[in-house]
Amino acid sequence: MPFAVPLRLLPGLLSAAALAVAFTGPVLAQPDPPPVTGAVAQERAAERVPAKLARLASLLGHDGDVRIVAFGSSSTEGAGASSPAMAYPALLERDLEDRLQIGASSRRSITVINRGKGGDTSEEMASRLERDVLAERPDLVVWQTGSNDPLRGVPVERFVELTREGLRAIRATGADVVLMDQQWCRKLSGVDGAERYGEALHALAAELNVPVIRRRALMQSWVTHGLMTPAQMIGPDGLHMTDAGYRQLAKAAAAQILVGAGLIQPSLARN
């Protein structure tokens, strides 16, 4: 059965939507956009400024390597996936390569490094930010956060404080950063006050002008548009995504990252 959204959560959902600094455009299920070739990438990076992800836009406009760190907890690590290759960071790397037509003979490369660790709250993520993220010298960090903090009782004020500090530390290196919010799932919906962490994440994103991959809204839209059922998207534990869920998330993330780099129009992003 589809998840029912309790009436007490509707104000929170509306507030999060209003505060979200997401990639522009509605959350819709649409066909995959056409591939972005090297020549087109250079033209579009030049013509579409300012890009939300300026460093990435510059790098994708030329030959060379792009390093992306996927930072987060179990959703990034790949809990619930049948193998590490089916975790969203591995799928994201392949999807970006396909969309940018990067093959074995290409003079450019996309590397997505998985730095997810199951069970991490903002406290644990802060303690390993330097070692697991900054030391990798990423060009882009996709930071998935906000799910374990309500589950483990970290005060929302502490979550905001540590996330703000982390975002500033990432940007101080010159890297771009994108946030990814909570999943839409039975287990989180049953935690009193869990929506406050999503609202806080979007408010912080607005404060610092950080783009957000709105995973919660995306997952709701996939069900609404008949792309998959909740049971196909979330595993039996009521929390972690399945292979099918991760695959859809990677496609949406890849498209929205390219929107942020100014390489495809928001209306073409598969969400």
Side-chain angles (χ1 to χ4, degrees):
M1 294 177 60
F3 299 131
V5 180
L7 291 176
R8 64 182 176 79
L9 295 188
L10 287 177
L13 287 172
L14 293 173
S15 297
L19 288 169
V21 181
F23 298 91
T24 56
V27 179
L28 299 174
Q30 298 179 359
D32 286 327
V36 181
T37 64
V40 172
Q42 291 182 4
E43 292 174 5
R44 292 182 182 175
E47 72 188 23
R48 230 172 259 155
V49 292
K52 291 177 183 288
L53 305 177
R55 180 181 179 88
L56 186 65
S58 176
L59 290 171
L60 291 179
H62 304 84
D63 292 329
D65 300 335
V66 174
R67 290 173 65 81
I68 300 172
V69 169
F71 185 42
S73 56
S74 56
S75 292
T76 298
E77 186 177 26
S82 59
S83 72
M86 293 306 297
Y88 105 78
L91 297 170
L92 173 63
E93 178 177 295
R94 295 203 293 272
D95 202 65
L96 286 171
E97 288 176 342
D98 288 345
R99 291 177 191 249
L100 294 168
Q101 296 188 328
I102 295 174
S105 61
S106 177
R107 290 183 294 178
R108 62 164 68 186
S109 69
I110 299 282
T111 301
V112 180
I113 302 163
N114 189 331
R115 288 293 181 264
K117 187 176 179 182
D120 267 14
T121 66
S122 53
E123 299 274 3
E124 286 88 9
M125 289 189 209
S127 70
R128 64 186 181 90
L129 178 68
E130 177 68 39
R131 179 188 71 246
D132 286 357
V133 179
L134 305 186
E136 294 288 353
R137 297 181 176 271
D139 301 302
L140 169 67
V141 177
V142 182
W143 188 355
Q144 165 263 315
T145 188
S147 294
N148 287 319
D149 291 81
L151 290 171
R152 293 179 53 189
V154 176
V156 69
E157 296 80 9
R158 181 62 171 160
F159 165 73
V160 170
E161 176 189 8
L162 292 170
T163 305
R164 181 186 287 113
E165 290 175 359
L167 291 170
R168 288 174 171 166
I170 292 167
R171 280 185 161 173
T173 70
D176 292 326
V177 61
V178 173
L179 285 166
M180 180 186 292
D181 67 8
Q182 298 169 325
Q183 65 267 52
W184 181 53
C185 65
R186 183 174 64 250
K187 191 163 184 179
L188 270 176
S189 294
V191 175
D192 189 41
E195 72 277 6
R196 294 178 58 220
Y197 295 78
E199 293 170 0
L201 181 145
H202 285 285
L204 182 58
E207 173 192 328
L208 299 180
N209 195 26
V210 175
V212 179
I213 296 173
R214 297 179 296 151
R215 178 167 53 148
R216 181 182 176 89
L218 286 167
M219 293 172 74
Q220 291 173 320
S221 77
W222 300 337
V223 173
T224 300
H225 291 90
L227 291 179
M228 62 181 67
T229 66
Q232 291 171 327
M233 184 171 60
I234 294 288
D237 66 359
L239 180 64
H240 296 111
M241 299 180 82
T242 61
D243 285 357
Y246 284 129
R247 187 180 300 112
Q248 193 68 23
L249 177 62
K251 287 181 179 180
Q256 293 185 12
I257 285 168
L258 293 178
V259 168
L263 299 183
I264 61 175
Q265 293 283 358
S267 60
L268 291 177
R270 180 182 177 126
N271 291 331

